[in-house]
Structure formats: structure tokens, C-alpha cells
Amino acid sequence: MKIAKCLTFFPILFITALFISGCSNEEAASDQKKPETITYQSEAGEIEVPADPQRVVILGGYAGNVIDLGVNIVGVDQYAKMNPLIEDELKNVPVVSDDDIEQIIELQPDLIIGLSKTKNIDKLQEIAPTVTYTYGKLDYLEQHIEIGKLLNKQKEAEAWVGDYKKRATELGEEVRATIGEDATVTVLENADKQLYLYGNGWGRGTGILYQEMGLKMPKKVQEVTAKDGYFPVSAEVLPEYIGDYLILSKNPDYDSAFMQTDTYKNTPAVQNNRVLELNTREVYSNDPITAEYLLTEFETFFLETQ
């Protein structure tokens, strides 16, 4: 009888022991903290950065990338602050520059992102891990993946890039079938007493148009922008560079009187109503938010208004 009781009691003890062991293993696993930092391979070499950054300062160009990946920004450059596409997300974020060392210290960033030409790098590195990029070294999609690596969100970045590439390529095929494989597109911007042509990969939608969508740049524009990515021109010679279609990055801060000249008005693109005017503040960047906006604008322009 005692043996029977023991045998009955043994399974209970065994199950209890397994339960306690399982709980102990779960507690041990939960006690193992996730790494606080990751090693990122920057242009300047390996650098330890937060695995889950919470307070990022942007000193040039990449605010849209960081916002798209859901990471908090506590300080931003003035150009990003002026961008209507992300003004809501940056509403309460102060403007900072690479000269505002004291202000950046007060913001207590755990990561700083800038450009290779950013000043005071040594001082910034004393405040928080500082990573810079050379503008144009990577195309806009590669750059987003690189930002994803930095923020420990590479999978999210790669997922967007793959999906966007597919959609932009498909749109390009449809556009070329509509306007012709040989149709050319020029990207032009007005600045202070100067006009600029933009080549491949210098914002203003150039990467999308010429890379993913596969549209053609006028040969002469391609030649003059090959070295620097952009080229200054005068209003008098515009007919030499404006292709069948014109994407006009219109800067509200500068004069656009050239648009009233006969030289401009008599170009085939203007006469055939093949000009898409965009706000420079919205389109100078190469981030996913801008890219999504431009894809919609290009679809409407090339397919619905022609």
C-alpha cells in the first residue's frame, strides 16, 4: 500500500520538478539582457553604436530615413525642418547645426548622424557615437539599407527597398510604354540667380526616374552632369538641355522669373504641357518618405495628365 502511494506521488513530484525547471530556464533566458551596443562598419571604420537608439541627432540629409524606420529624433538640420513632408514628425524637434555643440550636449543624444563634410566631428564624438556619410557615394536605396544597419533595423530597411524597387520598376515599364522608350526627361532647379541641371542620384527624383523607372536623360544633360552630379546653366541656353519632359524643382526661396521668358516658354516640353512642378523643399532628399511621394507624383504626371 505504501509502495502504491509512493508510485502515485512520484509523477506529481516529477511534473512539479519539470515545471520549476522550465520556469527557471525561462527566467534565466529573460535575465539575459539584449546587447546594448552593436558594431557598425562606418566609412571611418568600426564604431560601437546603440543597439536601440532612442535620441538621435541628424546633422544632414537623413531625417526621412530615420523617421521611416521609427527611431526618435531629438535634433535636426534646418533643411529637414523646412520639409513639408515631415514637418509633423519634426514639429517639436529643435534645429541644430554642427556649430551648436552646447545645444547638442543638452539634447543628450545617444547617436549623431551627419555628412562627411560635417564640422567639429571630434567634439561630436565626445558627446555620442557619430557616424557620417559621403553624399552620393551610395544610391538612395543602398543608403536607406545602410541607415537601417546603423539603427539595427536592416530587415525593415531591406523590406521597404525590395518592395519599392518592384513598384518603381513596374511604373517605369508602364510609363515607357506610354511616352516611348526614347522620350527624355530633364530635371531642373532654380536657385539664387542661377539654374541647375541634375544628373543621376542627386535628389529631386533623379534616382527614381533614371534608375528604377529607366527613363532617359538628354545626352547633353548626361554629359555636363557626369562629373559633379549637377551643372549650372543660364536661362538663355535652356532649350539645349530640356528634353521631351521637364521635372522642375521650384525653390520658393528664389526667383523663378525665367519661367516668363520666351526662351523657356517656347521649349517643346512647356508648349506641350509636359512640365511637372515640384516644391524643392519636398523633393531634394533621397529618403523613403520623399521617394513614396515622388512615385505618386510621377505616376500622375506621366500616365494621367498626358
Side-chain angles (χ1 to χ4, degrees):
M1 189 71 177
K2 288 181 180 180
I3 294 174
K5 286 182 179 180
C6 287
L7 291 174
T8 304
F9 188 59
F10 176 76
I12 298 174
L13 287 174
F14 181 71
I15 294 171
T16 303
L18 285 177
F19 177 76
I20 294 172
S21 174
C23 290
S24 298
N25 289 336
E26 288 180 8
E27 289 174 2
S30 64
D31 286 341
Q32 292 178 355
K33 294 182 179 179
K34 293 182 179 179
E36 294 184 358
T37 63
I38 59 172
T39 301
Y40 175 70
Q41 184 65 46
S42 74
E43 290 182 5
E46 291 186 348
I47 181 172
E48 292 295 310
V49 298
D52 184 22
Q54 299 293 312
R55 301 181 62 81
V56 180
V57 165
I58 309 289
L59 294 176
Y62 305 109
N65 301 85
V66 176
I67 290 171
D68 181 74
L69 291 169
V71 176
N72 184 50
I73 297 175
V74 295
V76 73
D77 62 277
Q78 62 175 335
Y79 294 105
K81 188 74 171 180
M82 293 190 299
N83 187 343
L85 297 181
I86 55 177
E87 61 183 355
D88 289 342
E89 289 83 354
L90 299 176
K91 184 177 181 181
N92 298 314
V93 177
V95 172
V96 293
S97 76
D98 46 16
D99 290 320
D100 299 328
I101 300 301
E102 293 300 322
Q103 184 183 6
I104 293 174
I105 291 173
E106 292 176 2
L107 293 173
Q108 299 181 334
D110 54 9
L111 179 64
I112 300 172
I113 305 174
L115 297 169
S116 56
K117 63 181 181 180
T118 298
K119 295 182 293 184
N120 296 313
I121 294 294
D122 292 343
K123 293 180 180 178
L124 293 169
Q125 288 173 336
E126 293 176 1
I127 301 171
T130 301
V131 175
T132 61
Y133 297 100
T134 300
Y135 185 81
K137 186 175 182 178
L138 301 174
D139 70 36
Y140 72 110
L141 297 179
E142 293 170 335
Q143 184 64 69
H144 188 57
I145 291 175
E146 202 60 34
I147 297 290
K149 293 178 183 177
L150 172 62
L151 300 177
N152 204 16
K153 290 180 177 287
Q154 183 175 350
K155 289 182 179 180
E156 292 92 326
E158 289 176 340
W160 177 82
V161 166
D163 177 64
Y164 187 82
K165 254 184 124 167
K166 180 176 181 294
R167 289 183 287 121
T169 300
E170 289 174 351
L171 176 61
E173 292 171 354
E174 190 175 356
V175 168
R176 296 197 309 276
T178 301
I179 69 174
E181 290 287 345
D182 295 325
T184 57
V185 183
T186 298
V187 178
L188 178 73
E189 182 175 290
N190 64 309
D192 187 15
K193 300 178 182 179
Q194 186 68 70
L195 298 173
Y196 285 93
L197 297 165
Y198 283 92
N200 195 349
W202 275 78
R204 290 85 178 168
T206 55
I208 305 164
L209 291 166
Y210 303 130
Q211 294 174 31
E212 271 55 61
M213 292 179 65
L215 302 183
K216 289 187 177 180
M217 190 187 306
K219 186 176 181 181
K220 197 160 185 178
V221 175
Q222 188 174 358
E223 291 173 352
V224 298
T225 61
K227 180 181 178 182
D228 297 322
Y230 59 89
F231 186 76
V233 292
S234 63
E236 292 74 22
V237 298
L238 281 179
E240 300 178 29
Y241 297 98
I242 293 180
D244 300 307
Y245 293 82
L246 175 63
I247 308 301
L248 177 58
S249 172
K250 195 173 177 182
N251 195 322
D253 297 326
Y254 299 118
D255 180 38
S256 57
F258 75 95
M259 297 178 68
Q260 306 308 317
T261 65
D262 289 339
T263 304
Y264 175 78
K265 289 181 179 180
N266 290 332
T267 58
V270 176
Q271 291 188 331
N272 293 322
N273 193 31
R274 292 176 175 175
V275 179
L276 172 60
E277 293 184 18
L278 298 167
N279 184 341
T280 299
R281 293 179 182 177
E282 295 178 333
V283 300
Y284 77 94
S285 292
N286 279 323
D287 60 81
I289 296 172
T290 304
E292 292 288 2
Y293 169 74
L294 283 170
L295 199 64
T296 300
E297 290 293 311
F298 292 155
E299 180 177 11
T300 301
F301 174 61
F302 288 112
L303 299 181
E304 298 178 22
T305 61
Q306 302 306 315

